[in-house]
Amino acid sequence: MTGITAWVEQATWPAVIAATARLAESVTDPDIALVYAADDDARAVAGGSVRGLLGRRRNDDRVHAATQAAAEVVLADALATLARPAAVRVVHGRPERAVLAALDGMDWLVLARDGDLTRLGPHSLGPHTRFVLDHAPCDVVLVWPDSAPGIDTAPPPPPPGAP
Amino acid sequence: MTSGLLATGASAALLAGLLAFAALRPRDLPEAVFAVPAAVVVVATGMLPLGAAEDEMRRVAPAVAFLAAILMLSRLCDVLGLFRAAGRAMAVGGGDPRRLLTRVVVAAAVVTAVLSLDATVVLLTPVVFATATRLGVRARPHAYACTHIANAGSLLLPVSNLTNLLAVAASGITFVRFGLLMALPWLAVIAVELVALRVRFATDLSVGTRRPAPPDDAPVPVFAVAVLALTLAGFVVASLVHVEPAWVAAAGVALLAWQAVRDGRTTPAAIARDADVPFLLFVPALAIVVAALVHHGLGDAIGRIAPQGHGLVALALWCLLATLLANTLNNLPAMLVLLPVAAPAGVGALLATVIGVNVGPNLTYTGSLATLLWRRVLREHDHDAPLAEFTGVGALATPAALVAAIVALWAGLQVFGGGA
């Protein structure tokens, strides 16, 4: 059995699912898990501003429902697009730690670049993605969310003699 | 002198306990459960003379009455579908997160200005989350936008923030004049916040979708929008004829309640619950406890460090003082502490103080350091926002926003005149 984890996120999941399907074709007996890291941080930010009102009124139920709906929509769409049996899982807490914990015993991780793709370079990986990439206990497939950039987008080489 | 020190210590301890209780809400009890007995103790022990306590209650009563009306008004707008329609308007144009961010900022600024920051925090924020989900983009930058603009966008009108209402009540500045002088600072802080959010969340904002939003046929609640427009016009007229804005807001509530109850969307009992009576009791109680502390030393201390003069530097110092105090205590007690000194110092000083207490809390995650620390110490929350991230966004946006707002206020005072 070959364990494959696909880290699906808003906006970038179609590319991840496409790569996961291709990978599943090429390995024996793929065992696929789709992992979504819930945006607890954003929810906590919204909760914090309620605290700023010194206790008058709250909104956490509705924000909680919205973040939960976000997870369900992404996972359902991703599962339907994959058209293969797969386990789905929502993880909570710090996204980079939670995703890393979900990789225990896996053979492959498929994830997408999620950084600033208008300026390629170090920032084309978001901080959470960077952490998972650095510490993944398995092989990693890193895909472009859109089409890959042309070879001519790389910056020119440093001039001769530069440090 | 010993009894004076004792009173200072006792009133400070009561205020600290009151704020801790409000921040933590043990067993979900209303904050008035601590605040009202604390106010009774303050008066019964003579820390604040009864007459002074009555003055305090008279001073905050119009603001409290208005708060009750605006809480009901915004909730009725929600019941009638206004915020859902706002969500649909934000989703037009699809899943480009940068465009969505601009729309969220504009929506939050307008909702905050007209219906107060509570409406943005409690009613608009969940809609923004739902809209981001519908468009398939990340909610985080937009969640920050709501949080920041709820504070920063509450500068424009007296009705936008409870602190503004207190300032207006203490100074007698008219609705129109407040709006004229605060229009430039309001625009300036919103522009600065938008740029800061774009820079800080460049990563999240660069990943969009081309998927069109699923159709949502939420109709625009024309009646609610018309009533809101009339209410807003009513605030202007009421200010000119010296009628409390609470009456105008109450008239708006009556009109919307009539429609909402007739259509079976809510009940009179539910509307009354939205007035949040425990919180309405909390505000005068807080004012009395703060007044005791001001009476026993804090007023003199603030008076000694209060900036002098009416120039740009004096405005900036008032704003700095207000920012520091708001981040320490929370904006409402900070305003109550500063009002007795800032209001007599002139319109410029007062509005600079308003800018500090309203925009300044964006530096800390929960509106004040006190709340944040209490929550950290007792760990009663399940998940806190990443402190470094929040502080990073606040530290990037807030000082620039404050400077821009103070310069804009100063410019407005030159144009419209600084006299009361």
Side-chain angles (χ1 to χ4, degrees):
Chain A
M1 227 165 46
T2 311
I4 303 174
T5 292
W7 180 8
V8 292
E9 287 194 283
Q10 257 99 13
T12 59
W13 65 263
V16 170
I17 290 300
T20 305
R22 283 202 302 277
L23 180 62
E25 295 288 332
S26 63
V27 300
T28 53
D29 194 12
D31 179 20
I32 305 173
L34 308 184
V35 171
Y36 177 90
D39 206 346
D40 295 339
D41 288 350
R43 199 181 135 201
V45 167
S49 58
V50 174
R51 292 285 165 169
L53 300 181
L54 262 181
R56 62 182 187 267
R57 313 214 288 184
R58 55 215 69 191
N59 64 355
D60 198 49
D61 292 349
R62 295 163 106 189
V63 170
H64 182 53
T67 48
Q68 222 160 23
E72 282 161 17
V73 167
V74 168
L75 284 170
D77 287 355
L79 193 59
T81 308
L82 181 65
R84 272 174 176 276
V88 295
R89 201 169 149 200
V90 180
V91 293
H92 291 273
R94 289 170 167 270
E96 70 280 18
R97 300 276 172 188
V99 170
L100 206 58
L103 294 179
D104 197 17
M106 285 286 159
D107 300 296
W108 290 93
L109 165 68
V110 185
L111 81 171
R113 283 178 190 274
D114 65 343
D116 186 354
L117 302 181
T118 55
R119 274 169 301 179
L120 298 179
H123 296 298
S124 71
L125 289 170
H128 302 325
T129 315
R130 174 90 240 175
F131 183 89
V132 172
L133 198 61
D134 284 340
H135 299 282
C138 58
D139 289 335
V140 175
V141 175
L142 179 65
V143 299
W144 292 95
D146 246 326
S147 50
I151 189 74
D152 55 334
T153 59
Chain B
M1 200 61 229
T2 315
S3 70
L5 275 178
L6 193 66
T8 307
S11 49
L14 281 173
L15 180 60
L18 183 155
L19 291 175
F21 193 93
L24 298 168
R25 296 178 58 113
R27 297 175 192 213
D28 227 19
L29 288 167
E31 45 286 293
V33 168
F34 189 100
V36 172
V40 170
V41 167
V42 161
V43 177
T45 57
M47 277 191 266
L48 191 69
L50 187 59
E54 283 169 356
D55 286 347
E56 280 304 313
M57 287 172 74
R58 253 196 302 280
R59 194 157 67 104
V60 301
V64 170
F66 180 83
L67 180 70
I70 203 79
L71 289 175
M72 290 190 279
L73 193 69
S74 56
R75 180 77 184 112
L76 281 164
C77 286
D78 181 41
V79 164
L80 291 168
L82 185 68
F83 291 94
R84 194 166 161 213
R88 192 189 55 166
M90 286 186 274
V92 171
D96 176 352
R98 293 192 190 92
R99 194 181 303 170
L100 178 63
L101 183 73
T102 306
R103 286 169 186 217
V104 168
V105 165
V106 170
V110 172
V111 166
T112 303
V114 177
L115 287 173
S116 90
L117 82 164
D118 292 43
T120 295
V121 167
V122 179
L123 301 171
L124 187 68
T125 302
V127 170
V128 166
F129 271 82
T131 304
T133 300
R134 260 158 40 78
L135 294 174
V137 302
R138 291 170 194 174
R140 182 185 304 221
H142 313 294
Y144 271 98
C146 286
T147 304
H148 270 229
I149 300 296
N151 285 325
S154 71
L155 293 180
L156 182 63
L157 299 175
V159 300
S160 312
N161 199 323
L162 189 52
T163 53
N164 302 2
L165 286 166
L166 292 171
V168 168
S171 70
I173 184 172
T174 64
F175 192 96
V176 174
R177 198 168 151 66
F178 189 99
L180 277 178
L181 288 172
M182 287 306 234
L184 272 181
W186 181 68
L187 289 172
V189 292
I190 289 165
V192 170
E193 291 281 355
L194 180 58
V195 170
L197 290 165
R198 282 283 296 259
V199 170
R200 184 61 180 72
F201 292 103
T203 303
D204 285 302
L205 291 170
S206 73
V207 198
T209 55
R210 289 197 201 87
R211 193 177 70 162
D216 176 0
D217 56 356
V220 176
V222 179
F223 184 72
V225 173
V227 168
L228 271 188
L230 278 175
T231 308
L232 208 52
F235 290 146
V236 176
V237 176
S239 164
L240 297 176
V241 297
H242 302 288
V243 169
E244 287 298 337
W247 292 110
V248 179
V253 169
L255 283 172
L256 292 186
W258 168 73
Q259 196 200 31
V261 172
R262 185 199 65 188
D263 295 354
R265 291 165 185 259
T266 186
T267 60
I271 297 171
R273 264 199 306 280
D274 288 324
D276 199 351
V277 173
F279 189 78
L280 303 182
L281 294 173
F282 170 77
V283 177
L286 172 69
I288 287 171
V289 175
V290 167
L293 187 55
V294 169
H295 197 73
H296 289 285
L298 186 60
D300 289 343
I302 299 280
R304 267 196 296 278
I305 58 168
Q308 304 295 319
H310 299 280
L312 187 56
V313 175
L315 295 183
L317 288 174
W318 274 110
C319 179
L320 179 68
L321 182 61
T323 299
L324 293 177
L325 212 53
N327 275 291
T328 316
L329 293 177
N330 201 311
N331 61 359
L332 195 52
M335 194 69 202
L336 289 166
V337 165
L338 289 173
L339 263 182
V341 189
V347 172
L350 184 68
L351 294 183
T353 304
V354 168
I355 290 172
V357 296
N358 288 1
V359 183
N362 276 345
L363 277 174
T364 41
Y365 154 53
T366 46
S368 83
L369 210 55
T371 309
L372 184 71
L373 290 177
W374 277 115
R375 282 167 61 70
R376 295 252 148 186
V377 167
L378 296 186
R379 300 198 171 280
E380 47 91 45
H381 49 281
D382 51 354
H383 185 91
D384 248 332
L387 192 58
E389 179 177 272
F390 196 95
T391 313
V393 181
L396 180 69
T398 309
L402 287 171
V403 169
I406 288 300
V407 172
L409 173 66
W410 179 79
L413 286 166
Q414 306 309 307
V415 175
F416 300 112

